[in-house]
Amino acid sequence: MSARHPPPREPWPRHHVPEKSNPLRRRSDHLEAWISRLLLLILLLGLPAATLGTGLATYRSAMGTVRTQSAERHEVDARVVSAVRTVTATEEQRAQVRWIDDEGTTRTDNALVKPHTPNGATVRVWVTRDGAVTGPPMTENQAMTTSWFTGGAAATGFVAMIYVTRVGVRHKLDRERYALWDAEWERVEPLWAGRFRR
């Protein structure tokens, strides 16, 4: 080979030391690598399980609420008796309403109606079996949204837990390494200092 055409460089040295047999790797390095692999495995297996498990459990619970509230609540036509409080046009106003239940009993309660609803107007309100004004029942879309939100929160919490564990392990191992370095330096430093005094 001439100087003009040097041999191509190798992508890595010929005497590459495998990671496992590297004499510079300390016990703590092996331990950190093993824990990192374990945490990665837990993340890959646990993240889908935590997300889907929490989401499905929340969805089943929310759908139970949907069925219960749908069975216990129904809409009735009520007449506005008097406005209790009028607020800005972007909000609702609380008004006293009156209606007749299925048994023919006249009932009166407070309900939220659209702003500036006049007295005597007919409005639709949700009531319970006991005749108390309440809100509309939860819908299937709300149940689905709640389950997605809960599943996402569980996934975020699981990833955060793995990350905090990884950082905590590294911090503890680093403290041990620094302590070992300090101890080794206290043993070696006098020998180095003695060489320079000659």
Side-chain angles (χ1 to χ4, degrees):
M1 282 285 178
S2 62
R4 293 183 181 180
H5 302 286
R9 290 186 177 183
E10 296 182 359
W12 54 78
R14 288 187 178 183
H15 303 291
H16 176 70
V17 180
E19 182 178 323
K20 292 185 178 179
S21 61
N22 188 344
L24 298 179
R25 283 176 61 86
R26 300 155 294 188
R27 182 189 64 86
S28 61
D29 296 329
H30 290 286
L31 181 61
E32 182 179 355
W34 184 83
I35 292 176
S36 297
R37 294 188 186 101
L38 178 62
L39 290 176
L40 179 60
L41 179 63
I42 293 174
L43 179 65
L44 294 177
L45 296 179
L47 183 61
T51 304
L52 294 177
T54 305
L56 289 176
T58 303
Y59 179 73
R60 286 193 291 267
S61 176
M63 286 304 297
T65 302
V66 169
R67 289 189 291 270
T68 301
Q69 291 184 353
S70 298
E72 294 179 347
R73 303 179 185 186
H74 63 281
E75 275 189 302
V76 297
D77 289 325
R79 188 172 300 279
V80 177
V81 178
S82 63
V84 177
R85 181 172 61 92
T86 303
V87 290
T88 61
T90 57
E91 299 178 3
E92 294 179 310
Q93 68 180 20
R94 185 170 293 278
Q96 192 175 62
V97 296
R98 183 172 297 155
W99 73 96
I100 300 175
D101 63 15
D102 296 336
E103 298 177 356
T105 304
T106 301
R107 296 185 178 273
T108 303
D109 202 349
N110 293 329
L112 293 176
V113 298
K114 293 182 179 180
H116 311 298
T117 300
N119 292 344
T122 300
V123 294
R124 297 282 290 176
V125 295
W126 286 92
V127 296
T128 64
R129 291 177 178 176
D130 298 331
V133 173
T134 185
M138 178 183 285
T139 64
E140 292 186 14
N141 288 338
Q142 290 173 330
M144 180 67 72
T145 302
T146 301
S147 63
W148 276 105
F149 177 80
T150 308
T156 303
F158 191 83
V159 172
M161 181 187 68
I162 295 294
Y163 175 77
V164 169
T165 303
R166 175 72 179 87
V167 171
V169 167
R170 167 164 276 186
H171 178 69
K172 180 172 176 51
L173 292 176
D174 282 345
R175 291 184 62 181
E176 294 179 359
R177 290 165 184 154
Y178 295 148
L180 288 175
W181 287 340
D182 290 341
E184 290 175 2
W185 180 248
E186 289 179 2
R187 188 171 61 252
V188 173
E189 191 272 337
L191 301 176
W192 281 84
R195 292 183 179 181
F196 290 106
R197 293 194 192 101
R198 295 177 183 177

